[in-house]
Amino acid sequence: MSSATQFGRVTAILLAVHVLGCASEESSGQLMDSTIDMESSLDAGAAVDGTTETDQDLQRDQSLMDEGVMADVAAEAIDMAIQERSDGTVTNAPLTVSNVPEECETVGLIAPNIPSESGHYAATVLTPPAYPFAIEAIQYSLLKNDDVPTCDGSLGHRVILFAIDSEGPLPEVPSATGLGYRSYDVPSAVESVAGRQIEIAVPIPLILTEGQRAVVAIQFASQGGQHICVANCLSDAPLQGIDWWSNAAETPFRWQDLVAELGLTSQLMTRIVGSTIR
């Protein structure tokens, strides 16, 4: 299939999403989805970038727990992580958890409608292969292509990480009801307008216990008419219940399924890296 045919297909999907949005009061229905040449888009000089959890971040997490904002199980998970490391517990080799194939045949991007969706979040639910599972890093890519010239990979933005129970829905206020809630501010990188790969270290791992799943939500920050665009992988059979749109820049979020409700035929390429604890 030629690239022109591929893009024509995506354009048809966009039109379908727009019609869906007109019929729904809960969604703007104007998310953009487009194909891209990933290798040419990424800034080779900014292959790995991101922020780590500082001592101040950890103190903030502790303060949140003291105030009762985080669930007790979140505090136990952090304590468990500290104890495991201090005891020198042996863990398995690092594992990358993703909802897309290691080699995606057609890489695309998802972009917000500006200004109405500025600051909204796209969340991905990730399930580890075994438990307990210690999350040690988050990875994703910011991209740009000629069809969406307003994409800007240099913009700073926020990423949130938390856990949910196996059958639980995404919480409207993750900081209050998400398990082990963490937030990270990814700084701007002026040289990375064309795109960059982000890796965020999680120095005190978030421990997932039996049946729990991880949620990574990326903020679609904007500045003027520019905004970030996040990599996704086009699929003939995208999974429902995996990728979600917040429909708000601030809590409470009004999550909608990007596939089942908004009609995208792709999966976000967000990944977590971690290890199972023996």
Side-chain angles (χ1 to χ4, degrees):
M1 183 180 293
S2 69
S3 59
T5 304
Q6 289 171 341
F7 186 73
R9 180 184 176 194
V10 175
T11 302
I13 293 167
L14 282 173
L15 293 174
V17 173
H18 183 75
V19 172
L20 175 64
C22 293
S24 171
E25 294 181 356
E26 294 186 0
S27 169
S28 68
Q30 296 179 29
L31 291 171
M32 291 185 288
D33 197 357
S34 178
T35 58
I36 196 166
D37 181 343
M38 190 167 184
E39 290 185 2
S40 64
S41 172
L42 290 177
D43 184 340
V48 179
D49 197 2
T51 57
T52 60
E53 202 169 27
T54 64
D55 292 340
Q56 183 178 1
D57 292 325
L58 300 179
Q59 291 170 3
R60 181 196 61 222
D61 286 348
Q62 185 62 54
S63 175
L64 288 173
M65 285 187 289
D66 293 342
E67 295 171 7
V69 176
M70 294 178 68
D72 290 341
V73 67
E76 293 173 3
I78 292 176
D79 290 342
M80 178 181 176
I82 295 172
Q83 188 65 36
E84 295 289 357
R85 292 303 185 268
S86 64
D87 287 348
T89 302
V90 177
T91 61
N92 295 322
L95 299 170
T96 299
V97 180
S98 173
N99 293 324
V100 302
E102 185 175 352
E103 297 294 333
C104 175
E105 291 186 6
T106 307
V107 176
L109 59 81
I110 181 172
N113 180 58
I114 300 298
S116 63
E117 293 172 337
S118 176
H120 290 200
Y121 288 78
T124 301
V125 179
L126 296 146
T127 303
Y131 297 93
F133 187 83
I135 301 173
E136 298 162 349
I138 300 165
Q139 300 175 342
Y140 58 96
S141 298
L142 305 182
L143 305 178
K144 181 174 184 173
N145 68 5
D146 293 339
D147 299 298
V148 192
T150 51
C151 294
D152 187 340
S154 72
L155 298 180
H157 54 283
R158 174 160 290 189
V159 173
I160 58 178
L161 168 69
F162 56 95
I164 58 174
D165 289 327
S166 179
E167 302 302 324
L170 270 64
E172 294 182 351
V173 184
S175 62
T177 54
L179 309 178
Y181 176 87
R182 319 282 179 88
S183 68
Y184 304 88
D185 289 321
V186 178
S188 60
V190 293
E191 74 283 1
S192 300
V193 173
R196 52 176 165 155
Q197 293 178 329
I198 306 290
E199 179 160 349
I200 301 173
V202 181
I204 295 185
L206 173 59
I207 308 297
L208 299 179
T209 57
E210 188 68 36
Q212 290 182 336
R213 299 175 294 165
V215 179
V216 177
I218 303 169
Q219 179 194 46
F220 280 73
S222 67
Q223 183 175 333
Q226 304 297 108
H227 50 80
I228 71 167
C229 296
V230 178
N232 63 7
C233 182
L234 271 67
S235 171
D236 292 331
L239 299 175
Q240 300 180 10
I242 298 296
D243 295 327
W244 299 83
W245 187 254
S246 70
N247 278 301
E250 303 290 343
T251 58
F253 296 140
R254 296 177 290 110
W255 299 107
Q256 281 188 285
D257 192 312
L258 282 170
V259 174
E261 297 177 85
L262 299 184
L264 269 63
T265 57
S266 58
Q267 245 37 105
L268 290 169
M269 296 177 68
T270 307
R271 301 174 293 273
I272 54 173
V273 179
S275 53
T276 55
I277 301 174
R278 296 177 183 174

